[in-house]
Amino acid sequence: MLMNSGILFTFSPLFWSTGFYCLMLSLTIGDARLITRKPFSEDTFFDLMQQYPINNVFTPPSYIHLLMRHKRTKTVDWSNLKTWTFGGSLVSEEIRNYVDALLPNGRSIDGYGVSELGPVAVDLFGRRSHSVGQLLSNVSGKIVDEVGTALSNGERGELLLKFSEPLLGYHNNRTETAAAFDEDGWLRTGDIASFDEDGYLYILDRKKDLLIYRGYHIAPAGLEAIIERIEGVEQVCVVGLPTEDGSSDLPAAVIVKSSQSDLNEEKILQIVDEQVADHKRLRGGVFFVSFLPMTENDSGRIASCLGSQGADKTSNEDQ
């Protein structure tokens, strides 16, 4: 370990882009990298924070949601931590405010990246509400509508990106390469976003993740933001269950609740219904599961869980 170096830590393995990025960052800036073979858990995280003077940490927002409800958060010494970086999914202002208040000598940093390009934007030099920061110097971006017409600042549409060096596409996959890039070489990210007048980027949702119920577009992230604030909810993912004729998506919430919680479907529906328009109600129902998958390898387990629970569930489509 270098005598004057900091310590960088993330649970991300090297086959995740964030894990590889943290490896390269440690080599670039001379920080030591703390490595554990244990998967993420609240106690493992707190134990490492107490044992080592970690200066920089990277986690997805879902980890923070679990940590902020844990009693050990108030007993850990956070004075060594200078930066707590988020990535991998949208992060709420509630989580960012919590982390900023938690660190006496540091701050939260939000960023945005894509697998094809790597890091795209970061708010390292200034935080702006709900923004992931400004584009890095080697990346260009624009917002376009459904037919590819460039939109003005403040208008929402799909984010297209171009790197300073040409991208060669996906290896031995001409079909996906042709679908991913427009005729001018701009990468279609599939993310719904906007820019403000100062070039700050706002990621609003995933184009492919938008649910459509009877012609209405529903952003899962908006419903998730409401549900994750409910006492007893540890993690939540909103998905769409297709109607029998395939014409609509029925929003459904998949929830991991704390072991002490007595939350039930009726309570979740009541809270959500009081805060959303009629077309955004959870007509697909509420499913309580023991875990939410974090990698593609876990997807089959969650699918089987939904299938077994969904067999006996009554749809709320006609309500």
Side-chain angles (χ1 to χ4, degrees), residues 2 12 23 33 54 67 69 78 81 90 92-93 108 129 133 151 162 176 187 189 198 221 226 236 250 281 302 318:
L2 300 177
S12 300
L23 168 63
R33 189 165 59 97
I54 298 173
L67 294 170
R69 300 187 179 206
W78 301 100
L81 201 56
L90 297 178
S92 68
E93 288 298 292
S108 65
S129 181
L151 301 175
K162 183 177 285 189
E176 289 298 323
L187 173 69
T189 66
D198 298 319
I226 293 172
V236 58
L250 303 179
R281 294 168 61 189
I302 196 68
D318 296 326

Side-chain angles (χ1 to χ4, degrees), residues 197-211:
E197 295 78 6
D198 298 319
Y200 279 80
L201 175 63
Y202 299 80
I203 304 298
L204 307 173
D205 215 309
R206 282 287 297 168
K207 182 178 181 180
K208 295 180 180 179
D209 288 345
L210 287 176
L211 309 180

